[in-house]
Amino acid sequence: MSRLPFYLLVSLLMLVGIGLSLHRHLQFDVPWFPGEQRQVWEIEAQINLTARGEPVIVDMALPDHQQGYRLLTEHTASSGYGLAFREENGGRRAQWTIREASGPQQLYYTVQMLTAPDARGPLQEPPALPRQILWERPFDTAARQVIERAWARSASPHTFARELIRDMSGERQGENARLLLTQFERAPLLVRLLNEAGIAAREVSGLYLEDGRRRQNLSSWIQVFDGNDWALFQPETGAQGRPDDLLLWETAGQAVLEVQGGSNSRVSFSMLTHNQPAASAVRSQLADDTLLNFSIHSLPLEEQALFQTILLIPIGALVVVLLRILVGIKTSGTFMPVLIALAFIQTSLLTGLIGFLLVVAVGLVIRSYLSHLNLLLVARVSAVIITVIAIISIFSVLSYRFGLNAGLTITFFPMIILAWTIERMSILWEEEGPKEVLIQGGGSLLTAVLAYLAMNNPWIRHVTFNFLGLQLVLMSLILLAGNYTGYRLLELRRFKPAAED
């Protein structure tokens, strides 16, 4: 029968698993290695105003995901005020409300922004051009001549914006530009001139990030659209491009702060930067799971800790499959070494090995006595289970009495599995002899130790918990190993005499 469907299934599992893992790394900045650090900016906006003893509404623009930065968390401090977050014209805004307030008022908004070079913001829609722009005389003539001069030296909307800004500043500033600047603010004037020329543009506000700065103000920038993309221009110099340390705070072309029922309103910004582990830095954005952003971070911490251990079982299963199918190691029970390896994770390797050997050795002695009673299988195994519980209880009490607290972790061993291991080894001793017991027991311990080393590796624990797509990759590898029908490595010893000849 053709093996093509099998290989297609394996390839599909591997590609989907790798694709999901790459998506989480690239889209959500989940790190490949534990201990990676990420730079996080904590920015506080302080709003001050004087209320007039009437209802107060404070409306402020908020930052969002954007090029180079990803929003992590945000919170406010506004005693007695109601608060609502809303979307308006493609931008985020916060609105504080109170029925009555008088005197000085202070509102606080704090946001954490993760520095993420691969981050991208939502698609920016170009603003609609105004139907008609009215100029008073003689500003209409000045505006027309400024536009015509810049238009002649440009070839695209972006180059026109650059030439227009240069004509409005520095040595190239003419009489028409100076006349316009006596009547209009620079940034709104530039937007108006660009709109007059049929180019979509708007004024946006940005914040320069510098560690430890206090009482900083926003700066105005001009966002120019050319139909396919947009570019940012500094209205004073005409420099094109977005600086790396600039955080766009308001991108919808609206006022940053609007206050009703108060006066003397202003907003200032303070900022600090710090590094924190990348895994915790992105944990908050993984809480809202989607089909492609499927993660366990939305569960309570207790369940997360449980799944962190459960997701290691496929690693142990892969180790068992490779050792049994490719190497040819014999074990007592198929996946008993995986469960023993899980117990080693809880107890530590040395304590687990000593505890396992003691329990199995004492259990075999007691099981040899039970074999003389000629009990039925179910009763005999049940008696072995009770015996294992008694042995573990006695060892735990003794270790505590002698001050060996590490011995208390022996309770993490799976008692049912230990009972069946003792039963199988006892039967194997009777049928095959002690040599086979040592071979299978030693193989089980060796496999359990190797599985423990793989499952307890910090990098493996990190990737299996944060990249669930790797579970599909592990399944594809196990399926490929299960398709192997050649010789085991340990079986090649039979050909040693032929090789010597």
Side-chain angles (χ1 to χ4, degrees):
M1 186 175 61
S2 174
R3 304 294 293 173
L4 180 61
F6 170 79
Y7 290 114
L8 288 177
L9 174 62
V10 170
S11 302
L12 179 63
L13 289 173
M14 186 167 293
L15 290 176
V16 171
I18 295 175
L20 289 175
S21 302
L22 289 175
H23 176 267
R24 284 175 62 79
H25 174 69
L26 298 175
Q27 186 69 23
F28 302 102
D29 203 31
V30 180
W32 290 119
F33 298 95
E36 290 188 24
Q37 299 287 314
R38 292 289 187 271
Q39 184 185 35
V40 176
W41 286 93
E42 188 163 355
I43 307 165
E44 179 187 79
Q46 178 180 335
I47 304 171
N48 293 276
L49 62 109
T50 302
R52 298 191 292 256
E54 58 186 71
V56 177
I57 300 177
V58 180
D59 198 281
M60 188 182 74
L62 302 180
D64 201 356
H65 303 299
Q66 56 190 272
Q67 180 182 352
Y69 298 96
R70 183 174 291 117
L71 190 150
L72 289 182
T73 61
E74 56 184 352
H75 61 272
T76 63
S78 50
S79 178
Y81 280 79
L83 174 65
F85 295 96
R86 55 195 180 90
E87 300 280 343
E88 185 176 307
N89 297 328
R92 298 175 61 248
R93 302 189 73 86
Q95 187 178 77
W96 291 268
T97 56
I98 192 171
R99 179 61 62 181
E100 182 179 351
S102 60
Q105 305 288 309
Q106 285 187 334
L107 306 175
Y108 295 91
Y109 168 81
T110 304
V111 62
Q112 284 190 334
M113 302 295 295
L114 170 69
T115 301
D118 297 330
R120 294 291 181 269
L123 181 65
Q124 293 284 341
E125 294 292 337
L129 291 173
R131 294 183 178 180
Q132 187 177 9
I133 300 177
L134 299 177
W135 302 85
E136 297 180 357
R137 293 182 180 276
F139 303 109
D140 56 346
T141 303
R144 185 172 60 255
Q145 292 180 0
V146 168
I147 292 174
E148 289 176 355
R149 183 182 178 186
W151 189 269
R153 293 197 301 269
S154 64
S156 65
H158 291 167
T159 57
F160 172 76
R162 184 186 62 215
E163 296 299 322
L164 179 66
I165 296 173
R166 290 179 177 177
D167 286 342
M168 301 292 291
S169 59
E171 297 179 354
R172 289 173 52 175
Q173 186 184 71
E175 295 183 359
N176 292 321
R178 284 192 290 270
L179 176 63
L180 292 170
L181 289 173
T182 61
Q183 182 68 18
F184 304 97
E185 294 290 336
R186 178 180 295 272
L189 173 61
L190 290 171
V191 173
R192 194 172 186 183
L193 291 172
L194 288 166
N195 290 339
E196 177 78 13
I199 297 174
R202 62 186 166 208
E203 181 184 1
V204 297
S205 299
L207 180 67
Y208 278 106
L209 299 179
E210 185 177 351
D211 188 25
R213 301 291 291 177
R214 301 172 61 245
R215 298 177 182 177
Q216 299 300 295
N217 297 318
L218 298 175
S219 57
S220 295
W221 293 76
I222 306 299
Q223 194 178 44
V224 181
F225 294 82
D226 66 353
N228 298 321
D229 199 2
W230 60 268
L232 211 59
F233 291 87
Q234 216 285 336
E236 299 291 339
T237 63
Q240 181 178 349
R242 179 176 173 274
D244 293 336
D245 58 349
L246 181 70
L247 174 70
L248 294 181
W249 193 273
E250 197 286 321
T251 58
Q254 298 178 318
V256 175
L257 181 65
E258 296 179 343
V259 176
Q260 301 179 31
S263 59
N264 300 323
S265 60
R266 63 190 182 277
V267 58
S268 60
F269 300 86
S270 303
M271 63 204 75
L272 287 173
T273 183
H274 61 274
N275 292 327
Q276 65 183 72
S280 61
V282 301
R283 184 169 292 127
S284 59
Q285 63 189 334
L286 297 178
D288 299 327
D289 288 339
T290 62
L291 181 60
L292 292 180
N293 181 26
F294 183 76
S295 74
I296 305 176
H297 295 87
S298 58
L299 296 175
L301 290 179
E302 183 178 357
E303 279 69 24
Q304 290 188 39
L306 175 62
F307 270 100
Q308 191 172 28
T309 302
I310 291 176
L311 293 172
L312 293 174
I313 294 178
I315 297 293
L318 178 63
V319 172
V320 172
V321 168
L322 295 178
L323 292 179
R324 288 188 58 125
I325 295 179
L326 299 183
V327 180
I329 292 179
K330 295 181 179 180
T331 61
S332 179
T334 306
F335 290 103
M336 183 271 288
V338 178
L339 300 177
I340 300 301
L342 286 175
F344 288 166
I345 292 177
Q346 304 295 331
T347 63
S348 79
L349 182 58
L350 181 59
T351 303
L353 282 173
I354 295 174
F356 178 80
L357 292 174
L358 286 175
V359 172
V360 172
V362 175
L364 284 175
V365 173
I366 298 176
R367 168 61 178 78
S368 65
Y369 169 73
L370 294 177
S371 64
H372 296 292
L373 301 179
N374 295 323
L375 299 177
L376 295 176
L377 176 63
V378 176
R380 188 170 65 243
V381 173
S382 300
V384 173
I385 292 174
I386 297 174
T387 301
V388 169
I389 295 175
I391 295 171
I392 290 177
S393 301
I394 294 172
F395 284 163
S396 298
V397 172
L398 290 176
S399 62
Y400 177 74
R401 291 293 185 182
F402 286 105
L404 303 175
N405 293 331
L408 297 176
T409 58
I410 196 174
T411 56
F412 287 106
F413 278 108
M415 299 179 185
I416 305 297
I417 299 301
L418 285 179
W420 271 108
T421 301
I422 294 171
E423 177 68 18
R424 288 171 60 91
M425 287 187 175
S426 179
I427 296 176
L428 192 64
W429 189 299
E430 296 173 354
E431 296 180 351
E432 303 290 339
K435 180 181 178 181
E436 191 65 24
V437 172
L438 292 176
I439 291 176
Q440 292 195 16
S444 299
L445 275 183
L446 175 62
T447 304
V449 170
L450 294 178
Y452 161 81
L453 295 176
M455 297 162 65
N456 204 42
N457 182 277
W459 179 74
I460 290 179
R461 295 174 69 90
H462 171 79
V463 295
T464 53
F465 181 65
N466 290 281
F467 299 95
L468 295 187
L470 293 181
Q471 302 296 321
L472 300 179
V473 177
L474 292 174
M475 180 178 289
S476 65
L477 294 176
I478 290 174
L479 291 177
L480 280 177
N483 195 46
Y484 178 74
T485 56
Y487 287 107
R488 277 67 168 166
L489 291 178
L490 295 180
E491 294 177 341
L492 299 179
R493 294 177 302 173
R494 297 183 299 171
F495 300 98
K496 185 178 179 180
E500 292 175 352
D501 292 341

